Amino acid sequence: MTRAKPEDDDWNSSKIHAFTFDDDDDEFTKLKESKRAVSSILVDDDDDDDDDDDDDVEKVSWSGEPVGSISWSVKETASSIRSGGEHGFPKINTAPSLPKQGSGYSLSSLFKASTRVYAPELRKPKSECKVNSPCSDIILLSMDKLLLLDEAVSAHDGNVITAVLIYLKKSLSKEIFFQELMVREIALRHYVHYLKEMEEQKTLVELMKLPFSQDDAIHVQDHYTLLERQIIIEATDKKGEAEIFKKFPRKASILNMPIITTLYYSCFYHYGESEGTFSSPANIRSTFRISEKQYILTALGARAKLKSWFDVDSLFNTKNWLGYTKKRSPIGFHRVVDILQKNNAPVQVLKDYVSLIDDAELKLSLAQKYKCHDIVIEMYRDLKDRQQLIVYQGKVERGSHEDRKIDQLLGNMQIRWKN
Amino acid sequence: MAQTDRRDAPGLPDFSLLKRLARDQLIYLLEQLPGKKDLFIDADLMSPLDRIANVTTLKQHEVDKLYKVELKPVVSVSDQLCFLIRPRIQTVKWIADVVKSDKAVGRFRRYKIIFTPQKFYACETVLEEQGVYGDVTSDEWEFYLLPLDDDIISLELPEFFRDNFLEGDQRWVTTAGSALRLLHFLFGPFSKVYGIGRCAKMVYESWREQVEDGEKKAQNPDIGNVFLIDRDVDFVTPLCSQVVYEGLVDDIFRIKCGSVEFGPDVTSTDKSLKVMLNSQDKVHVGETQRKKEIWWEKQRKKKRCGMDIKQMKAFVAEELKGLKQEHRLLSLHIGACESIMKKKTKQDFQELLKTEHSLLEGFEIRECITYIEEHINRQVSMIESLRLLCLLSLTENGESYGIEHLLSFANLRQIGLLVEQQPGETLTVMESKVGKLVNDKTAGKLTDAFSSLAKKSNFRALSKRLMLIPKTGEEYDLRVPRDMAYIFSGAYIPLSCKLIEQVLERDGWTGFEEVTRMLNGHEFAVTGPEDSKYPQRIILVMFLGGCTFSEISALRFLGRERGCKFIVLTTAITNSSRLLESLLDNQG
């Protein structure tokens, strides 16, 4: 490599030796060489043959020869776990320590086996290699394979953990592999991430089906129940015989839609059906344990869209303890007004709900916004605010009912106006 | 941007060395494939590469054409293809496809993959499984550290946050350890290491194991103390709207590798322009920055929302007139300010900040909820709404106010499509993502995301104990900021920075047990070999999972106050949008 620039000489000679290309001075090269020496002792067979790369390239690569990389890094990690700390910084407790079973195999020899499995495939063209040839030299016990995994996890290196998982995936039966993953959270997360990246949806789905917790089990159950119901609903609705399907033709199938969407659909097309039928909102509500708030919000949206003001009204009716009907809502009435307004509800309908708003300021502003004149007038009267009433009179139509009402109030001597 | 400081403040080491090292190594690697070659670069690496080796340099080393890595067939006719990529399975799969399709038509080429900063075993497996392992050579370009400013170094790994904290994948732990190792080698040895967070602990261990005897320099170290902190120790700070200048620019324009691209609406021409936003940007020198901040603060405090552009232009021209020669840059910044204000006025920035400050303080929560509800209803910006909900959730210690609101609004939007399509109305990608998530109550993936964020969030208690909300007795004078709260207009001292301040003051965590408990533990403080000459006043702070410009500004302030220097090392620069996008992408 040409080194025409003077600055190179400068920093080559300076205190910084991090990266030079002179073999002699390079501390890094020395390190690499010693590492390679160590690797070559333990991984004899693979050294010579796998050297596809230039020697020069290996100087810069920490991993040494490609196949050896995993064995190297796991070895390094293993050996540094054992040695470590010569530079004076103490180890800190990062994770619960694992009970080391004192297996007869050292990590390096465990990996020696794995490299043998891979090595043939690398050297020979695909047609020649026996892809599924079992490793004849060392048959690892499952126990040792899992020990490998645990050691990798305790080294905190995700690259190594994933590498071990890839190895285990190939050399363990699926049942055992999944079983062991379920009790190793960190390893499991790495495996899930790996599957996502490899786009192995099938395996992911299988993995996700495992009951990791009670909640998951319920979730899975719900998912299947919903799909079942949707299939039944879809079968009937597809024919589109009822009047409503003609007026509001469906744009999409209900299959695979989320729960709330299904509820909305049901409130739209199957409102009022008895709880016994699968397509009724009542049935969906109870089967999937939908909250009152969510139910009302959804039903409101659907009925408002259809301009079924009567249905909307019924949603909020409850009987109090005296047997009288009164209106209440788990969502603020201002929200109700908002939704209704978005669906172009007429002022007649809106004003009923505006009048139910608790917060006076909000009520007044919404009443003004949606031109619920009667409400505004009444509020100003209650607030005894003459000025505002006069101002508001300017906003209503001359000679209208509201205009006259304001006139009446303004002329009323009984009211003690504050201004 | 580093500002002028006290004369007795220690000097910073020269990090431009890191760029030279990286460049030289890259050149070396390129030369391992002699002859003309086409270079394919990962999109994420283009900006960093730009700061390291420009096109001329690359061409000098026989790089012919440059392409961005895009997952589609290559049109290159070169006999040698070189790929400079992050170690992602998807990218490697694509490269394998390229090789295979060449093979299928009997085309022979040389292929070299340069993984940076390292290769993962999973990538090799892909090459093996695709049957192309023997056809490509691969290398590692150990480019770990990119200096963004005199006192900011980035690993340019935005995926660190998602992979580590959301996916639970520890693949980058060794990388972070290696980055530390490099700094330790060049500018160490470090004397003390403090930290908090599970990842911080793992990175420390990784670093410790990577550093070996003989790698230590004998010379005077340039960095004395190190502080490692996980992003998830403090989620609140990155979710707050930023008001420091770079923070604002980042929030609105997205700063990439220390520079920002201003579009035609800012440049007042028909072209876009890239501007470096750091010490090299001469507009940001000393007082200028503070003046801008003060002026900005003044503007915000004014009740009327209409910002007077003329006034601002006059201010900039008058107050900053000493910098006539940087007029062009100045006008760019004015353009940026204009753009910012247009966007911010539209969203009623003041109201927004007021709500945020109330949330942080725990004051008038009902009003805050109403504001958020309205924000959602108005459908101004979904990601803003989401951000506010997260903030609400975190500051109220995980109460699930958020979910129901999201359920309602995203609900209605998405459902509308099922029955009747409004003309011209389509859901944005974000909206459909959120809609998909929130509608399926039992899946509740977003609920999970919220809960994992807000889990055991003890913000309220921490805030009291650490006094993160300054007393609002007197008016907070930004001209004479008295604490780090100034970066949030006096409303809030960033939790992360406060922790750093306290731990450094106490030289450890003793006496802080209450606080560490509320932070879910994983704190540590260790000392290395004794060295009386170590530079106590230079502290390297490493953010694992990202750091915001606001936090950087706060640390710079702290440094000026204490007569020390902070070097911020971060896995990437982040802000609320990036954080939320990671969250949402993750679920998709």
Side-chain angles (χ1 to χ4, degrees):
Chain A
M1 149 171 164
T2 55
R3 283 200 271 139
K5 302 178 203 128
E7 62 188 47
D8 286 355
D9 294 331
D10 183 44
W11 62 270
N12 267 351
S13 61
S14 77
K15 54 184 180 165
I16 295 136
H17 286 289
F19 204 86
T20 71
F21 304 107
D22 304 333
D23 292 2
D24 323 341
D25 310 343
D26 193 356
E27 292 177 314
F28 271 28
T29 316
K30 277 203 211 118
L31 266 165
K32 280 180 214 109
E33 285 181 349
S34 58
K35 278 180 172 126
R36 288 190 61 200
V38 170
S39 322
S40 65
I41 296 170
L42 295 174
V43 195
D44 262 337
D45 313 31
D46 306 317
D47 236 6
D48 317 304
D49 305 21
D50 295 353
D51 226 316
D52 291 332
D53 311 311
D54 280 340
D55 272 331
D56 282 359
V57 174
E58 306 233 326
K59 266 199 195 112
V60 304
S61 153
W62 282 113
S63 44
E65 71 277 7
V67 173
S69 69
I70 182 172
S71 60
W72 177 85
S73 90
V74 174
K75 270 192 297 280
E76 278 306 301
T77 316
S79 63
S80 58
I81 289 171
R82 288 189 276 272
S83 64
E86 279 120 15
H87 47 78
F89 272 97
K91 201 162 152 50
I92 54 178
N93 180 24
T94 50
S97 53
L98 298 155
K100 303 243 180 328
Q101 258 101 34
S103 150
Y105 299 110
S106 68
L107 264 179
S108 52
S109 59
L110 290 176
F111 260 96
K112 209 166 143 192
S114 78
T115 58
R116 281 179 197 277
V117 172
Y118 291 134
E121 283 157 293
L122 293 165
R123 274 168 278 164
K124 297 173 194 163
K126 216 160 187 210
S127 54
E128 286 182 44
C129 77
K130 297 171 213 148
V131 180
N132 292 313
S133 61
C135 166
S136 55
D137 293 327
I138 300 176
I139 297 180
L140 296 181
L141 301 172
S142 297
M143 182 190 90
D144 292 316
K145 286 175 180 159
L146 295 168
L147 187 62
L148 193 63
L149 182 59
D150 291 334
E151 289 249 19
V153 169
S154 67
H156 308 307
D157 185 338
N159 181 27
V160 176
I161 296 171
T162 305
V164 175
L165 288 168
I166 292 172
Y167 165 64
L168 291 183
K169 180 189 184 197
K170 293 185 181 167
S171 63
L172 276 180
S173 78
K174 200 193 285 184
E175 291 77 41
I176 298 177
F177 186 37
F178 279 14
Q179 211 174 299
E180 294 300 330
L181 277 179
M182 271 169 65
V183 296
R184 290 171 167 80
E185 191 192 331
I186 294 178
L188 176 63
R189 283 175 156 249
H190 280 85
Y191 190 55
V192 169
H193 195 211
Y194 172 70
L195 289 175
K196 279 194 206 172
E197 289 185 310
M198 291 292 282
E199 294 178 335
E200 292 190 19
Q201 307 333 21
K202 234 177 106 214
T203 322
L204 259 176
V205 169
E206 281 171 28
L207 197 57
M208 293 291 96
K209 283 213 192 116
L210 300 174
F212 293 99
S213 73
Q214 187 59 6
D215 279 335
D216 285 323
I218 295 174
H219 166 207
V220 171
Q221 188 52 44
D222 271 353
H223 183 79
Y224 284 119
T225 311
L226 182 62
L227 199 53
E228 256 174 23
R229 301 287 165 94
Q230 285 171 339
I231 292 171
I232 295 169
I233 296 172
E234 182 70 13
T236 353
D237 287 2
K238 208 164 166 182
K239 295 182 231 156
E241 282 162 1
E243 179 69 27
I244 190 162
F245 291 110
K246 301 204 165 69
K247 257 172 72 188
F248 297 93
R250 305 180 333 148
K251 294 278 177 188
S253 142
I254 190 65
L255 291 177
N256 294 311
M257 289 290 170
I259 288 182
I260 297 299
T261 312
T262 311
L263 177 64
Y264 184 93
Y265 175 95
S266 161
C267 286
F268 196 92
Y269 289 115
H270 297 278
Y271 202 66
E273 285 177 14
S274 85
E275 193 166 344
T277 56
F278 281 154
S279 50
S280 72
N283 189 300
I284 294 177
R285 178 185 187 172
S286 58
T287 311
F288 299 102
R289 306 171 301 283
I290 294 173
S291 75
E292 188 195 8
K293 198 165 178 173
Q294 190 55 57
Y295 177 78
I296 286 188
L297 211 48
T298 312
L300 175 63
R303 298 330 284 170
K305 188 136 220 129
L306 286 166
K307 302 197 190 320
S308 310
W309 313 125
F310 183 75
D311 288 334
V312 168
D313 192 74
S314 320
L315 274 177
F316 301 105
N317 287 338
T318 54
K319 282 199 155 46
N320 70 5
W321 63 279
L322 284 171
Y324 292 119
T325 310
K326 73 172 254 177
K327 285 211 167 17
R328 67 167 273 277
S329 166
I331 62 177
F333 275 110
H334 60 286
R335 295 288 315 282
V336 178
V337 170
D338 239 356
I339 294 168
L340 289 173
Q341 192 268 340
K342 281 206 173 79
N343 283 288
N344 304 311
V347 182
Q348 290 308 103
V349 174
L350 284 180
K351 76 173 181 22
D352 285 340
Y353 297 95
V354 173
S355 63
L356 291 167
I357 296 174
D358 276 327
D359 182 306
E361 227 181 279
L362 194 52
K363 183 171 171 180
L364 190 58
S365 78
L366 283 181
Q368 289 184 325
K369 187 172 173 189
Y370 297 129
K371 303 203 182 346
C372 306
H373 301 308
D374 287 332
I375 297 177
V376 178
I377 295 169
E378 275 159 32
M379 288 193 82
Y380 282 138
R381 178 203 65 200
D382 290 341
L383 290 167
K384 305 205 193 315
D385 195 335
R386 208 162 93 100
Q387 294 300 336
Q388 286 292 5
L389 204 50
I390 293 171
V391 167
Y392 199 73
Q393 191 172 33
K395 296 190 185 149
V396 303
E397 204 189 306
R398 237 157 210 283
S400 67
H401 155 79
E402 292 84 19
D403 191 29
R404 278 175 282 142
K405 191 167 176 181
I406 295 177
D407 272 335
Q408 248 185 345
L409 282 172
L410 289 173
N412 190 335
M413 289 298 128
Q414 301 301 324
I415 302 178
R416 281 179 51 197
W417 300 103
K418 69 178 188 198
N419 55 19
Chain B
M1 300 133 300
Q3 304 194 16
T4 52
D5 5 63
R6 290 157 46 162
R7 232 171 261 158
D8 62 342
L12 286 169
D14 180 16
F15 294 120
S16 57
L17 168 63
L18 295 168
K19 290 202 271 195
R20 296 206 300 276
L21 281 174
R23 195 196 70 210
D24 288 347
Q25 197 196 10
L26 178 62
I27 290 171
Y28 181 73
L29 291 175
L30 286 173
E31 290 183 345
Q32 296 314 300
L33 188 65
K36 280 187 125 198
K37 50 207 166 264
D38 281 355
L39 182 64
F40 291 80
I41 311 170
D42 217 328
D44 288 346
L45 289 173
M46 300 195 91
S47 301
L49 185 62
D50 227 357
R51 301 280 299 247
I52 301 284
N54 55 25
V55 178
T56 323
T57 316
L58 294 173
K59 297 241 175 206
Q60 276 170 0
H61 296 276
E62 303 180 288
V63 169
D64 188 11
K65 294 207 178 60
L66 290 161
Y67 294 94
K68 184 161 79 162
V69 164
E70 280 167 325
L71 304 177
K72 46 186 203 201
V74 302
V75 294
S76 159
V77 298
S78 174
D79 286 330
Q80 303 195 116
L81 303 182
C82 191
F83 302 91
L84 183 62
I85 62 169
R86 287 270 187 241
R88 282 196 199 104
I89 287 180
Q90 206 188 27
T91 323
V92 178
K93 270 191 178 170
W94 167 73
I95 294 174
D97 284 342
V98 169
V99 176
K100 286 195 296 190
S101 47
D102 277 351
K103 272 189 187 177
V105 297
R107 183 185 199 146
F108 174 76
R109 289 203 251 222
R110 282 212 168 82
Y111 312 91
K112 181 185 207 49
I113 307 179
I114 301 177
F115 292 97
T116 185
Q118 67 193 90
K119 174 172 47 175
F120 288 144
Y121 188 67
C123 297
E124 286 186 317
T125 312
V126 169
L127 292 172
E128 264 184 73
E129 286 171 358
Q130 299 288 314
V132 300
Y133 190 83
D135 302 301
V136 311
T137 57
S138 59
D139 285 313
E140 289 179 330
W141 178 35
E142 291 164 7
F143 171 42
Y144 291 107
L145 302 164
L146 176 67
L148 297 180
D149 204 338
D150 295 342
D151 57 350
I152 313 177
I153 306 175
S154 166
L155 273 72
E156 290 304 299
L157 286 173
E159 54 262 69
F160 191 105
F161 174 74
R162 184 178 51 229
D163 288 343
N164 192 79
F165 294 100
L166 301 179
E167 300 281 2
D169 190 320
Q170 294 164 186
R171 56 179 61 175
W172 303 112
V173 167
T174 315
T175 316
S178 303
L180 265 186
R181 173 200 199 165
L182 184 57
L183 286 173
H184 180 263
F185 179 78
L186 295 173
F187 305 107
F190 305 144
S191 301
K192 290 196 185 167
V193 183
Y194 310 93
I196 179 158
R198 220 183 126 247
C199 186
K201 273 188 169 174
M202 294 194 290
V203 169
Y204 167 76
E205 276 300 314
S206 170
W207 165 72
R208 203 184 132 267
E209 277 155 25
Q210 290 184 53
V211 174
E212 303 193 16
D213 246 346
E215 262 187 38
K216 246 187 336 199
K217 287 178 1 183
Q219 278 82 351
N220 296 327
D222 293 307
I223 296 176
N225 297 321
V226 178
F227 197 110
L228 302 171
I229 181 166
D230 283 4
R231 183 69 268 170
D232 69 353
V233 164
D234 174 11
F235 269 132
V236 171
T237 304
L239 285 176
C240 296
S241 287
Q242 304 194 75
V243 292
V244 291
Y245 188 64
E246 305 99 306
L248 257 176
V249 175
D250 190 30
D251 278 352
I252 300 194
F253 299 107
R254 292 279 174 120
I255 297 179
K256 261 190 187 164
C257 295
S259 64
V260 62
E261 186 158 322
F262 287 131
D265 59 327
V266 173
T267 61
S268 313
T269 62
D270 56 356
K271 289 200 293 236
S272 300
L273 203 68
K274 239 187 178 164
V275 180
M276 294 265 276
L277 273 187
N278 57 19
S279 316
Q280 268 103 71
D281 180 357
K282 292 198 174 62
V283 176
H284 295 274
V285 178
E287 288 208 327
T288 318
Q289 172 60 6
R290 230 170 290 154
K291 277 189 175 162
K292 238 198 277 197
E293 284 168 353
I294 293 164
W295 173 82
W296 179 251
E297 179 53 33
K298 261 201 276 200
Q299 293 307 305
R300 279 196 323 98
K301 283 213 153 22
K302 287 203 185 127
K303 284 312 169 187
R304 40 188 184 91
C305 287
M307 304 292 181
D308 194 330
I309 305 297
K310 236 197 288 189
Q311 275 186 330
M312 180 193 32
K313 281 191 163 129
F315 166 81
V316 173
E318 268 309 297
E319 306 270 345
L320 308 178
K321 68 175 161 204
L323 299 160
K324 256 206 197 116
Q325 66 270 36
E326 275 76 35
H327 187 257
R328 181 135 179 274
L329 274 173
L330 257 178
S331 59
L332 271 177
H333 283 290
I334 294 173
C337 287
E338 280 179 1
S339 189
I340 290 173
M341 283 191 297
K342 271 196 223 129
K343 294 191 166 91
K344 289 300 184 182
T345 308
K346 191 170 152 197
Q347 291 170 37
D348 202 357
F349 197 39
Q350 245 176 307
E351 268 300 301
L352 180 71
L353 284 183
K354 185 160 158 281
T355 306
E356 281 183 34
H357 296 170
S358 298
L359 283 174
L360 290 165
E361 218 180 325
F363 178 68
E364 290 184 342
I365 295 297
R366 263 199 52 193
E367 274 83 342
C368 295
I369 296 178
T370 309
Y371 177 86
I372 298 175
E373 275 184 344
E374 277 167 17
H375 195 277
I376 294 175
N377 283 335
R378 282 187 290 144
Q379 290 170 14
V380 173
S381 155
M382 213 208 62
I383 211 156
E384 272 292 296
S385 301
L386 193 56
R387 180 180 71 84
L388 289 168
L389 284 171
C390 286
L391 203 52
L392 171 63
S393 205
L394 283 168
T395 54
E396 289 299 300
N397 297 348
E399 303 279 301
S400 60
Y401 293 111
I403 311 300
E404 295 186 333
H405 295 302
L406 270 187
L407 275 170
S408 55
F409 110 90
N411 217 350
L412 295 171
R413 285 279 283 172
Q414 200 203 33
I415 287 168
L417 277 187
L418 182 66
V419 179
E420 188 185 297
Q421 191 128 29
Q422 312 291 10
E425 219 182 275
T426 44
L427 290 178
T428 63
V429 175
M430 273 306 169
E431 281 178 326
S432 41
K433 276 192 184 176
V434 174
K436 201 158 67 100
L437 294 172
V438 301
N439 279 313
D440 199 340
K441 191 172 151 212
T442 52
K445 285 188 196 148
L446 199 60
T447 321
D448 284 348
F450 266 119
S451 349
S452 65
L453 269 192
K455 79 172 178 255
K456 299 181 229 163
S457 164
N458 288 307
F459 183 77
R460 198 58 67 222
L462 276 166
S463 169
K464 284 204 174 66
R465 175 68 179 73
L466 293 168
M467 296 185 292
L468 299 179
I469 313 288
K471 298 268 176 286
T472 47
E474 341 79 53
E475 180 80 2
Y476 195 97
D477 187 356
L478 285 177
R479 246 173 306 230
V480 191
R482 56 169 189 259
D483 55 30
M484 292 188 277
Y486 97 93
I487 59 146
F488 285 120
S489 320
Y492 161 68
I493 299 175
L495 170 59
S496 50
C497 304
K498 186 68 172 177
L499 282 173
I500 295 166
E501 177 203 77
Q502 288 297 300
V503 172
L504 288 173
E505 242 173 46
R506 291 155 200 268
D507 189 16
W509 297 90
T510 40
F512 234 25
E513 290 78 26
E514 203 191 326
V515 172
T516 54
R517 246 201 322 272
M518 290 193 272
L519 291 166
N520 303 315
H522 295 296
E523 78 283 7
F524 61 94
V526 289
T527 315
E530 277 305 306
D531 185 342
S532 51
K533 281 195 296 178
Y534 88 94
Q536 282 176 313
R537 296 192 296 162
I538 303 209
I539 305 121
L540 177 75
V541 178
M542 185 174 198
F543 284 89
L544 297 160
C547 154
T548 59
F549 278 111
S550 297
E551 284 160 314
I552 293 172
S553 298
L555 287 175
R556 282 174 171 162
F557 170 84
L558 189 61
R560 286 197 299 279
E561 286 287 288
R562 306 294 168 100
C564 61
K565 277 281 168 67
F566 286 98
I567 300 162
V568 175
L569 173 63
T570 178
T571 52
I573 295 285
T574 190
N575 60 13
S576 55
S577 317
R578 293 193 189 91
L579 210 66
L580 289 168
E581 277 163 22
S582 299
L583 199 63
L584 288 171
D585 278 345
N586 189 48
Q587 309 293 334

